Amino acid sequence: MSSSRDTDFQVTVEVPSNIALVKYWGKRDPERQWPANDSLSMTLNAAKSITTARVVRGVGGDTLRREDQNGKLVTVDPSDKALRHVAFLRRELALDGALDIATRNTFPTGCGIASSASGLGALTLAAIGAWTGSSSFAELAAAGFDRERLAALARLGSGSACRSFHSGYVLWSAGLEPDAQSVMQVYDHEHWQLADLICIVSREEKAISSSAGHLTAATSPLYRPRLAGLPERMRRVRAALAARDLDALGVQIEAEALEMHAVMMTATPSLRYLHDASCELITWLRNERESRGLPAYFTIDAGPNIHVICQHGDRDKIATRILAAFPQVTLISDCTGSGPRITGRQLA
Ligand code: PMV
């Protein structure tokens, strides 16, 4: 199958990042990206990857330019994970045409905000949009790519990317076999608007990627007990979401994040993503909550930065208090998001 349009057609997509409330950590089958457990995330609004793709006629391979921290577009090496994913998609889907791709993130990469989720999600959506000449989700579905299929393809690039294909709160179920995995929306973004105050305590690239980290999980003595307890945690998180109960949710997500980091630290090799500054912020947040009633809780991904979760209406007030206590922190004020977007246009 080749691109359905004869003239040059360019697709631009925006795919948000997501923050897991119940974490995906460990894989049953790394080849088929089969996670060890179900996970549940909140799709974000501001933190996203914006990616443009067009099919280039004639000879030549794919090119990918990525905006660096200074806002300069840098051509990435052909061995980059993103270009390997494009090559995989082309083979898997039997679609043809070299792609010219440009991408940028609205947040710093490699520091615990899931850049691989939004990045690989956006890349998958942009590439398939360009190859099939689609400029909306309806056109993609008509071309054979509904959200479920897009999410499954993005998952093969980065597991957590599959949860960025819906708005609101999203459940990725592991299923009983690799092909029985599913991704579904539990609630849309209007059900409950929460804020995620992303506190960047370090912009350093993490030394161990999450892909490498997942492979160490099963070596931790805490891993099996964690998996055994997760169905009950998921039940409690879902009940808290249903009731829009921040305190009930908060207790669960803090325990969940700390448990995942305990597995990381007790694995072989031992992984320590948290910095001293991360722990200071957590301690402060807990003190503020216990002694002054600050209505906020934390979660953490595979990185040092702290995601402070609170009611949307409290976000400015809480952000001000965090910045007063930690003036060196860069704070991205985000919230529950409305999901990915795609637009296309003919080039002159
Ligand atoms: O999708 P990956 O391979 O980048 O793994 C994501 C792992 C965590 O961010 C730590 C947890 C999660 O569920 O997003």
Side-chain angles (χ1 to χ4, degrees):
M1 188 168 150
S2 60
S3 173
S4 64
R5 305 204 188 210
D6 296 331
T7 49
D8 269 355
F9 177 69
Q10 179 170 292
V11 167
T12 300
V13 307
E14 296 187 10
V15 174
S17 181
N18 64 75
I19 178 68
L21 305 174
V22 177
K23 310 289 183 185
Y24 148 53
W25 195 248
K27 309 187 193 204
R28 256 183 278 186
D29 178 348
E31 282 285 291
R32 282 177 290 179
Q33 203 74 299
W34 189 22
N37 61 277
D38 296 353
S39 56
L40 192 152
S41 59
M42 178 173 95
T43 297
L44 296 178
N45 184 50
K48 56 190 171 192
S49 297
I50 302 173
T51 302
T52 294
R54 70 184 174 93
V55 176
V56 190
R57 293 174 209 282
V59 287
D62 301 314
T63 51
L64 170 61
R65 285 162 297 136
R66 187 183 284 141
E67 196 176 280
D68 70 9
Q69 299 210 338
N70 306 314
K72 230 182 97 198
L73 279 174
V74 177
T75 302
V76 312
D77 193 81
S79 65
D80 189 274
K81 182 178 174 179
L83 282 176
R84 284 190 276 122
H85 185 58
V86 173
F88 160 78
L89 290 173
R90 180 185 292 105
R91 269 197 319 276
E92 181 76 11
L93 304 172
L95 292 166
D96 61 31
L99 293 181
D100 180 29
I101 308 166
T103 189
R104 72 181 176 89
N105 291 334
T106 58
F107 54 89
T109 51
C111 59
I113 310 180
S115 64
S116 63
S118 60
L120 271 295
L123 188 71
T124 304
L125 188 57
I128 295 174
W131 281 323
T132 60
S134 305
S135 49
S136 66
F137 279 100
E139 286 182 17
L140 278 163
F145 296 96
D146 60 13
R147 268 179 216 245
E148 184 76 34
R149 188 166 181 214
L150 290 166
L153 290 164
R155 190 196 81 220
L156 295 166
S158 165
S160 55
C162 69
R163 297 187 310 236
S164 284
F165 279 78
H166 293 280
S167 72
Y169 301 88
V170 183
L171 173 68
W172 172 16
S173 303
L176 294 176
E177 48 186 90
D179 293 337
Q181 296 181 54
S182 65
V183 177
M184 63 171 246
Q185 183 184 65
V186 180
Y187 296 108
D188 75 10
H189 58 294
E190 283 166 4
H191 170 73
W192 192 15
Q193 272 286 318
L194 288 174
D196 178 3
L197 303 173
I198 309 170
C199 301
I200 315 273
V201 303
S202 164
R203 283 169 183 261
E204 241 172 66
E205 288 272 339
K206 55 192 171 206
I208 312 267
S209 69
S210 44
S211 322
H214 282 290
L215 305 181
T216 71
T219 67
S220 162
L222 304 182
Y223 183 57
R224 292 277 142 210
R226 162 170 167 74
L227 293 182
L230 275 176
E232 178 57 20
R233 171 155 297 137
M234 181 65 88
R235 198 192 61 70
R236 291 182 186 192
V237 165
R238 291 188 66 164
L241 286 176
R244 300 185 190 87
D245 182 336
L246 181 68
D247 294 325
L249 181 69
V251 168
Q252 295 303 322
I253 65 173
E254 290 196 350
E256 169 64 1
L258 294 175
E259 185 177 280
M260 179 181 73
H261 280 268
V263 168
M264 291 163 163
M265 283 191 256
T266 50
T268 306
S270 165
L271 306 180
R272 183 178 185 254
Y273 289 109
L274 298 177
H275 292 195
D276 292 351
S278 327
C279 298
E280 267 170 46
L281 214 154
I282 291 172
T283 305
W284 173 86
L285 187 76
R286 285 189 152 171
N287 281 342
E288 289 294 299
R289 192 169 67 232
E290 278 152 28
S291 59
R292 294 193 187 80
L294 189 82
Y297 294 84
F298 67 83
T299 184
I300 325 159
D301 270 345
N305 300 316
I306 305 298
H307 294 248
V308 174
I309 307 293
C310 62
Q311 300 278 7
H312 189 271
D314 289 335
R315 74 171 178 174
D316 293 344
K317 178 177 86 192
I318 293 175
T320 305
R321 275 170 73 174
I322 295 170
L323 288 172
F326 298 92
Q328 70 282 18
V329 158
T330 303
L331 194 145
I332 299 175
S333 180
D334 213 335
C335 60
T336 323
S338 58
R341 285 181 222 295
I342 175 166
T343 52
R345 68 183 175 96
Q346 296 298 143
L347 297 177

